Amino acid sequence: MGQYLYKLPDIGEGVVEAEITAWHVAIGDAVEEDAPIADAMTDKATIELTSPVEGVIASIACEEGELLAVGAVLVTIKTEGDGDESEAPVAAPEPIKAQKPEVKAAPAAPASETPKPAPLTAAQNRRASDGPALASPAVRKRAASLSIDLSAIAGSGPNGRITHADLDAILQSGQSAAPAAVPTPTAPAAKNEPTPEQDGETRIKVIGLRRVIAQRMQEAKRHIPHFTYVEEIDVTALEAFRARANQKSGEGAPKLTVLPLLIKALSQTLLDWPQFNARYYDSEGYVSRFDTLNLGLATQTDLGLIVPVIKDAGRLSVWEMAIEIARLAEASRTNTLSKSDLEGATTTLTSLGPLGGIVTTPVINRPEVAIFGPNKIRPIFVPDENGQPVLRKKMNFSISCDHRVIDGYDAAKMMSELRERLEDPAAMFLD
């Protein structure tokens, strides 16, 4: 009887860790080759991991909702034959839940010599002037468990960000990232234990996509000074145009909703307002503007909010756009989106359709600088030129902007031009 160490594979460029959101096996379960083992979620997609061999599960790495480093042992599988750990596909760095390493003491200095404090490293000098170290929450948690001082590490990631590889290098060197202070005896700290669950209370662990959404929304609101502008648009002519288009469409053509028409008008308007079709990389200090509109389409699913991307939306006809919207919506609901479907958004549109309410104040998808939010269409009586009430169809259209790079005046002007296109839909097809 041998064993196979199945290690978390490299599941995407730049991915160093993944959250195990679901286990499909337990210790003692027999598995066949290619049988599902676990679901691993990165910041880009959820991947189903399958068994590379046939055998029996001997151990699993962590609980659902915990992070695991790429290359860490995911499961140990008992196999027939004489296989052993050498069957593992890659060398494993320390997993995120690594125990505190044993640090060898340095040789004692002669009694006649007084040890001199070690000089500050370049990283420590830089941290003293530049502020706190850049690192993800997972890296900070692991460093704390290993008693590693992040301020003394020169990160190898973008903009000096500290990665798990940097922590691995510290561990392999057998040194701590900072001199250990002499511990002072203190009373044991009281553990911050959660209060017992009360009658009628149900606690749900925040893991998977919901955890990612929570983290991103928190980062967006912490970093971005939002402001929201709302424009009222008369969509009576737009709805009439849509009804005529559906009547004249060929057999087998998709039903045209208002959304492709909204996107058509938005793609034309942003050609003159590229500052809204942009990303702000605040840590690097520059804004990227894009000629092509890759529109993120916020989609609600049973798993939570997913944002697939309509690539080069401006080149699509409204019928092609309707087909692409339907494809992305179905793939979102069935969790079959490709990596490409989730990448490259330059701005985002979020809509709840008939449930859209009167006004929304959507949260920007960082590092984008704007997010558009059409609200529901509602009938309203308005006076005509003779003062007589006339029933019209009105819709409020919201936009939230990053006030660091977009001014309120520009938002108002851009939304005014968008309103003109939507109130005269035929003109969109004459541009």
Side-chain angles (χ1 to χ4, degrees):
M1 180 72 70
Q3 66 176 7
Y4 189 101
L5 302 184
Y6 178 37
K7 300 176 182 180
L8 185 65
D10 184 354
I11 52 181
E13 182 180 357
V15 175
V16 298
E17 62 189 11
E19 179 182 351
I20 305 304
T21 57
W23 285 105
H24 302 305
V25 296
I27 294 176
D29 286 354
V31 293
E32 298 179 353
E33 187 175 351
D34 294 328
I37 288 181
D39 292 343
M41 191 187 75
T42 70
D43 59 350
K44 297 176 180 177
T46 297
I47 308 297
E48 184 181 77
L49 302 175
T50 58
S51 177
V53 296
E54 180 179 349
V56 177
I57 301 297
S59 68
I60 60 177
C62 60
E63 296 181 0
E64 290 181 357
E66 294 186 356
L67 294 169
L68 200 66
V70 169
V73 176
L74 180 69
V75 292
T76 302
I77 305 173
K78 292 181 180 178
T79 60
E80 295 292 337
D82 299 325
D84 56 23
E85 293 184 5
S86 63
E87 296 180 23
V90 291
E94 290 291 325
I96 289 174
K97 295 182 65 178
Q99 300 296 319
K100 181 177 179 180
E102 182 178 336
V103 180
K104 296 181 180 179
S112 60
E113 298 181 12
T114 302
K116 297 181 181 180
L120 290 177
T121 66
Q124 288 172 315
N125 284 325
R126 178 170 56 81
R127 295 299 181 207
S129 60
D130 292 355
L134 293 175
S136 69
V139 170
R140 293 184 185 279
K141 181 179 179 181
R142 182 184 176 201
S145 71
L146 299 175
S147 299
I148 293 177
D149 182 6
L150 292 180
S151 66
I153 300 176
S156 61
N159 205 37
R161 181 176 293 274
I162 299 169
T163 67
H164 285 289
D166 298 321
L167 300 187
D168 292 337
I170 293 294
L171 297 180
Q172 292 170 6
S173 69
Q175 299 176 355
S176 172
V182 178
T184 303
T186 58
K191 292 185 178 180
N192 186 21
E193 297 289 348
T195 58
E197 193 171 72
Q198 302 177 12
D199 291 340
E201 176 187 5
T202 301
R203 295 186 181 180
I204 302 171
K205 191 172 183 180
V206 180
I207 65 174
L209 182 60
R210 179 48 56 188
R211 179 188 62 82
V212 173
I213 292 172
Q215 180 178 342
R216 288 182 176 176
M217 293 300 98
Q218 180 176 325
E219 290 177 352
K221 293 299 286 187
R222 181 190 299 123
H223 290 275
I224 300 175
H226 286 62
F227 77 88
T228 300
Y229 180 87
V230 183
E231 183 71 73
E232 185 182 57
I233 300 173
D234 189 325
V235 293
T236 307
L238 186 74
E239 281 288 79
F241 180 89
R242 182 177 70 87
R244 290 198 305 273
N246 280 325
Q247 289 176 355
K248 294 182 177 296
S249 62
E251 184 177 350
K255 182 181 179 181
L256 189 63
T257 66
V258 72
L259 191 54
L261 294 169
L262 295 180
I263 296 173
K264 180 74 172 178
L266 182 62
S267 66
Q268 293 179 351
T269 303
L270 293 186
L271 291 175
D272 297 326
W273 296 92
Q275 61 266 51
F276 294 86
N277 188 36
R279 298 175 185 160
Y280 179 29
Y281 297 97
D282 47 8
S283 59
E284 288 85 1
Y286 68 89
V287 175
S288 291
R289 295 181 178 181
F290 301 93
D291 297 329
T292 299
L293 174 60
N294 291 336
L295 185 66
L297 193 62
T299 305
Q300 188 65 38
T301 71
D302 292 339
L303 299 175
L305 192 65
I306 297 177
V307 188
V309 181
I310 303 174
K311 299 296 176 61
D312 201 358
R315 69 173 175 79
L316 301 177
S317 71
V318 290
W319 299 109
E320 291 171 332
M321 206 173 302
I323 293 172
E324 181 66 356
I325 290 170
R327 182 190 73 82
L328 292 173
E330 177 63 20
S332 298
R333 285 190 290 267
T334 57
N335 196 27
T336 56
L337 290 166
S338 68
K339 181 180 176 183
S340 175
D341 288 334
L342 295 165
E343 294 180 333
T346 53
T347 193
T348 296
L349 185 144
T350 177
S351 172
L352 292 176
L355 299 178
I358 298 175
V359 173
T360 53
T361 57
V363 178
I364 298 168
N365 188 16
R366 187 170 179 253
E368 297 164 23
V369 300
I371 183 169
F372 296 84
N375 298 279
K376 70 179 179 181
I377 297 172
R378 62 199 192 282
I380 295 179
F381 280 102
V382 297
D384 62 11
E385 61 275 8
N386 299 318
Q388 298 300 311
V390 176
L391 189 63
R392 306 292 293 180
K393 293 182 178 180
K394 297 273 191 171
M395 177 184 69
N396 289 336
F397 203 124
S398 305
I399 179 175
S400 291
C401 302
D402 186 337
H403 216 329
R404 296 173 298 177
V405 294
I406 294 178
D407 296 329
Y409 177 84
D410 288 340
K413 286 285 291 180
M414 185 276 298
M415 291 295 285
S416 176
E417 292 186 15
L418 178 62
R419 184 194 70 227
E420 291 175 3
R421 282 190 166 89
L422 291 173
E423 291 184 345
D424 184 14
M428 288 193 291
F429 299 92
L430 300 177
D431 288 351

